[in-house]
Amino acid sequence: MPDDSKSLRVSEIVKDVTRSFDSTVATTWYSNILEFLSGSRSFYVLLILSGILIFTSAMSGVYAMNMGYRHAYGVTREISWGILISTYIFFVVTSTGLCIVSSIGHVFGVRDFMPIAKRTVFLAIVTILAGFTVIFFDVENPLRMAVYNAISPNLTSNIWWMGTLYGAYMVFMIVEFILLLLGSHKYAMYSGLLGLLSGIAAHSNLGAIFGMLHGREYWYGPYMPIYFIASAMASGCAAIIFFTYLGYKVNNEMMDKPMERSLEAVARLCTLMVAVIIFFTAWKIITGLVAAPGKVEAIKAMLSGPYSLNFWVFEVLAGMVAPFFLLLRSRGKNINMMFIASALMITGIFIMRYDLVVVGQIVPSHHELGVIDSPSLLPYSPSLYEIMIVLGGMGIVAVSFLIGERIFKGHKSEVH
Amino acid sequence: MKFPKLDTENLKKENSAQVPMIERREFLRMGLIITGVFAGGTILSAVPHMNKVFASSRETAGKYPYKPHYSMVIRQDRCIDCERCLEACIITNDVPDYGYRTAILQREVPDAVGQKREFIPVLCNQCNNPPCVRACPVKATYKDKQTGIVMMDYTKCIGCKVCVMACPYNARYFNEERHSIDKCNFCFDTRLSKGESLTACAAACPAGVRVFGDLSDPGSNVYGLVHQIEKPVWVLRPEVGAKPNVFYMKG
């Protein structure tokens, strides 16, 4: 339509938004809250448990902050990035993936992907917030970050781009979600497109943080940004299957035909993306075995060293092989099997991120000098505080998911 | 019988001008090795280091954009691990016990003849192409425009530790008291800016291991050591391409 661009004027959007707000949202939200209060007992038990988890995690986080992260966390001078960074990556990978997969429907107009859109966008916002919360407790001076990111930007820094673009991404996703709620699908599409672009740019910059560290051969190269985007889609698909399944359980409802078809499409995409991850991982290992000595050491630590359990059981079996066959066997129809596959994948991917971050640091920087008095592989294990903060991030996702299912009534959306 | 007629006018000359450069180098190298054997191995020992000499110091020779271009040459074989440099650094720069700006690494070669252990002092290499400066999101660490020292702005550091990850030389740590990453700055704030000419570690070394000076000044000690070709000069991890301003040599 040639008039589309003209109709994008701000005044019209505002009018449109306020009109729909007056008529629907205020009243339905009120009734939603009433309905929310009349939920089932198990729902409240879950909600309260997650709430307690968030509370204890927040206490741990504040306590760790007071004590000093050097004392509270397991990170060291040599291994400065631990489970909090990997969990941050896990959450934002999932968020970006959710955004990418949902955009297939409401940005690019593939009908089969439309029914999952609302829940997916909601979860994308929730997971990025969880990610930001976790990294808040990792960065030593988070308040300075907000100030100097704005007044002293370093445009060659991937962290600067990632932080700034993810900030923009979150705003676009929130605006998109509000517009979806209000039924302004046209504007939601534009916001979704902006969210998608900033999300992909932000996420590939996250990969490039690692890929552009030229002193770290384990990560260096264009592999990281590309791999991050590919694995984000796998994460996103898994999260959609996982949370849609749970959403219908929480609401105690049966899926309708369009939703079933939608999940079938997601499952197919998921199978493809798992295959892509298998491909990426295989070549990472094979090329890594004929690399600089430091990288070979790290790869060996994964194949047969202290990280072999993580690699073979969690990454390969739970994260790739088992879900691949379960998804194939389910043929996108056996929803229980798909759910198990997605749960395995999420676990596997969590460990995948952990290994990606930690194994890149275990080989000492002066490895080639043959220095004594330093172990050939540096140790790291997360402290209780770090684990609590990670659980807190998961608690945030759980609570927001549960409340979201109630308030937004299972994120139903008419196919348009 | 008929012989082909030779065009003697236009025959290519087959003198030494036709030998490619690489062949010449190979020949020269072979000659050096053979002479080295007869010269009691002294030259031989330098031959395997020839590439290193040119790879490190030649690469940066004559390209010193800073004035003064501070640099340190570490005469590695002189270090006896007395650790006076470490002590001086800690006192001068208020370095806490959980961190360090400079350290002495130990390397052991069990099958070596004679001396089996050597000490390698390490510190921030004040790179010309510093990976940490590129990675910092808020310009809290930067290359000083005048001296080329990689400095920290303690008030800007957000503590994301990406510079720690980016550094190929493990030269950075988080200082709790300063709420910031801390690193060697060649004692700029504590000594150089107050008129001293040496860093605390260089001044404290009893064996003359750490030679400190201005690499852009042809009269300085560091210039002389980096620009000679009799003894090998190298840098740590040259493959990273960070172009360090801390050089290593023996003798």
Side-chain angles (χ1 to χ4, degrees):
Chain A
M1 280 182 288
D3 286 337
D4 257 8
S5 55
K6 281 184 193 165
S7 65
L8 251 177
R9 270 171 312 200
V10 180
S11 59
E12 282 191 29
I13 299 176
V14 172
K15 218 187 288 171
D16 199 10
V17 168
T18 39
R19 202 189 312 120
S20 13
F21 190 83
D22 286 344
S23 60
T24 56
V25 176
T27 46
T28 49
W29 276 30
Y30 178 67
S31 63
N32 282 349
I33 289 167
L34 286 182
E35 201 178 306
F36 175 68
L37 291 172
S38 60
S40 70
R41 187 183 286 170
S42 58
F43 174 80
Y44 284 109
V45 170
L46 273 176
L47 193 64
I48 288 167
L49 281 179
S50 312
I52 292 171
L53 188 63
I54 295 179
F55 182 73
T56 37
S57 304
M59 298 297 282
S60 312
V62 172
Y63 195 70
M65 204 181 255
N66 266 332
M67 197 185 343
Y69 293 155
R70 184 173 70 83
H71 308 276
Y73 297 165
V75 287
T76 57
R77 175 184 180 126
E78 284 76 22
I79 300 194
S80 309
W81 284 355
I83 198 170
L84 294 184
I85 295 285
S86 77
T87 306
Y88 163 74
I89 295 174
F90 170 74
F91 281 130
V92 301
V93 162
T94 310
S95 178
T96 314
L98 286 164
C99 166
I100 296 174
V101 178
S102 77
S103 73
I104 298 173
H106 66 263
V107 176
F108 299 110
V110 179
R111 290 185 79 85
D112 274 352
F113 282 82
M114 281 174 183
I116 54 161
K118 270 188 187 168
R119 179 181 282 109
T120 308
V121 173
F122 177 75
L123 286 170
I125 297 166
V126 167
T127 43
I128 192 129
L129 280 173
F132 283 159
T133 311
V134 171
I135 208 164
F136 179 85
F137 288 103
D138 183 83
V139 171
E140 300 268 357
N141 307 310
L143 299 178
R144 284 188 198 171
M145 180 166 68
V147 176
Y148 289 112
N149 200 62
I151 65 171
S152 180
N154 181 7
L155 299 185
T156 64
S157 163
N158 302 106
I159 291 208
W160 186 84
W161 283 103
M162 178 204 65
T164 309
L165 288 164
Y166 264 136
Y169 164 82
M170 200 172 71
V171 172
F172 289 135
M173 294 309 277
I174 290 172
V175 169
E176 181 190 5
F177 185 66
I178 293 171
L179 292 172
L180 278 177
L181 280 184
L182 300 175
S184 313
H185 289 283
K186 194 167 72 184
Y187 303 127
M189 194 270 270
Y190 288 117
S191 191
L193 182 61
L194 289 172
L196 175 69
L197 293 175
S198 51
I200 288 179
H203 197 60
S204 43
N205 262 293
L206 176 58
I209 290 173
F210 295 94
M212 287 180 73
L213 294 178
H214 44 148
R216 300 271 182 177
E217 57 246 332
Y218 184 76
W219 294 317
Y220 183 77
Y223 175 90
M224 280 291 168
I226 304 167
Y227 167 76
F228 265 51
I229 293 295
S231 66
M233 287 185 73
S235 282
C237 291
I240 290 171
I241 296 170
F242 184 79
F243 284 110
T244 309
Y245 177 89
L246 286 183
Y248 278 86
K249 284 272 176 262
V250 166
N251 293 317
N252 209 6
E253 283 178 40
M254 292 292 286
M255 281 185 203
D256 54 7
K257 267 271 167 288
M259 187 51 111
E260 277 179 357
R261 256 209 315 278
S262 190
L263 276 191
E264 190 186 329
V266 174
R268 287 210 176 128
L269 181 62
C270 195
T271 324
L272 173 69
M273 293 324 292
V274 174
V276 171
I277 298 298
I278 292 173
F279 181 78
F280 265 77
T281 309
W283 280 109
K284 180 177 84 178
I285 298 293
I286 296 167
T287 57
L289 285 172
V290 283
K295 185 166 182 174
V296 176
E297 287 299 311
I299 297 284
K300 278 185 183 161
M302 284 183 74
L303 291 181
S304 54
Y307 292 86
S308 55
L309 177 78
N310 279 9
F311 180 70
W312 291 111
V313 176
F314 287 99
E315 288 197 36
V316 175
L317 189 65
M320 301 174 210
V321 177
F324 184 75
F325 286 107
L326 284 173
L327 286 169
L328 268 190
R329 272 215 67 187
S330 75
R331 316 178 78 199
K333 297 210 162 39
N334 185 337
I335 186 81
N336 288 325
M337 204 181 268
M338 284 155 58
F339 173 71
I340 293 168
S342 70
L344 282 173
M345 258 179 93
I346 290 172
T347 319
I349 290 171
F350 181 82
I351 301 293
M352 228 179 260
R353 303 289 160 250
Y354 178 82
D355 290 347
L356 180 113
V357 171
V358 175
V359 176
Q361 303 168 72
I362 55 173
V363 179
S365 57
H366 292 300
H367 169 78
E368 275 129 283
L369 285 178
V371 174
I372 58 168
D373 289 346
S374 92
S376 55
L377 291 181
L378 298 162
Y380 166 75
S381 50
S383 75
L384 184 64
Y385 291 101
E386 287 172 288
I387 292 169
M388 281 311 296
I389 293 164
V390 168
L391 292 176
M394 292 172 179
I396 289 174
V397 175
V399 163
S400 316
F401 164 71
L402 291 170
I403 294 177
E405 287 299 326
R406 270 306 136 87
I407 289 189
F408 304 114
K409 288 185 175 167
H411 301 281
K412 293 272 167 21
S413 66
E414 65 287 7
V415 177
H416 46 88
Chain B
M1 226 170 142
K2 230 180 157 188
F3 288 100
K5 202 181 171 189
L6 282 174
D7 185 8
T8 45
E9 292 301 317
N10 295 318
L11 252 187
K12 261 187 174 176
K13 284 181 186 162
E14 285 196 35
N15 62 11
S16 61
Q18 304 301 318
V19 180
M21 198 53 113
I22 196 145
E23 286 284 331
R24 292 166 182 227
R25 280 196 191 140
E26 279 302 313
F27 181 74
L28 191 65
R29 189 196 295 266
M30 211 161 73
L32 275 173
I33 291 170
I34 293 165
T35 354
V37 171
F38 288 105
T42 47
I43 301 176
L44 177 69
S45 66
V47 173
H49 292 290
M50 287 299 264
N51 294 335
K52 272 188 184 166
V53 176
F54 290 107
S56 58
S57 61
R58 285 290 118 184
E59 207 171 282
T60 45
K63 283 183 248 164
Y64 307 121
Y66 305 101
K67 192 71 197 171
H69 192 109
Y70 285 124
S71 168
M72 191 179 278
V73 177
I74 291 176
R75 293 191 279 186
Q76 194 178 302
D77 56 336
R78 296 185 174 211
C79 180
I80 53 163
D81 196 28
C82 70
E83 302 193 353
R84 285 209 206 163
C85 53
L86 308 189
E87 199 183 333
C89 176
I90 289 165
I91 293 166
T92 310
N93 299 303
D94 210 4
V95 180
D97 57 0
Y98 55 83
Y100 62 83
R101 286 182 172 201
T102 178
I104 299 174
L105 305 177
Q106 297 186 23
R107 184 166 165 260
E108 203 167 58
V109 187
D111 55 352
V113 178
Q115 183 190 330
K116 291 182 170 30
R117 181 173 285 205
E118 62 177 350
F119 303 105
I120 311 169
V122 289
L123 69 164
C124 170
N125 282 242
Q126 318 291 353
C127 309
N128 278 352
N129 179 22
C132 52
V133 169
R134 185 201 64 80
C136 177
V138 295
K139 295 184 179 165
T141 191
Y142 58 97
K143 192 97 174 129
D144 184 58
K145 286 198 171 63
Q146 208 202 330
T147 62
I149 295 174
V150 176
M151 306 259 200
M152 278 303 302
D153 182 340
Y154 297 128
T155 59
K156 272 188 187 173
C157 176
I158 65 171
C160 67
K161 295 169 188 164
V162 71
C163 58
V164 180
M165 306 295 291
C167 177
Y169 303 105
N170 189 17
R172 294 170 163 268
Y173 72 99
F174 188 80
N175 184 311
E176 269 181 345
E177 290 73 31
R178 293 188 162 126
H179 298 287
S180 165
I181 295 292
D182 187 37
K183 66 176 286 297
C184 165
N185 58 358
F186 275 161
C187 292
F188 188 80
D189 53 337
T190 48
R191 290 175 64 98
L192 299 186
S193 63
K194 292 175 181 164
E196 298 273 357
S197 60
L198 292 180
T199 63
C201 56
C205 182
V209 175
R210 298 176 183 239
V211 183
F212 180 76
D214 176 7
L215 200 50
S216 67
D217 169 17
S220 70
N221 281 343
V222 285
Y223 186 93
L225 291 173
V226 169
H227 285 254
Q228 52 77 33
I229 59 165
E230 297 97 57
K231 287 167 188 162
V233 177
W234 66 92
V235 295
L236 297 180
R237 303 190 67 186
E239 76 283 0
V240 173
K243 306 229 186 313
N245 282 307
V246 173
F247 299 90
Y248 288 79
M249 66 183 293
K250 292 184 181 183

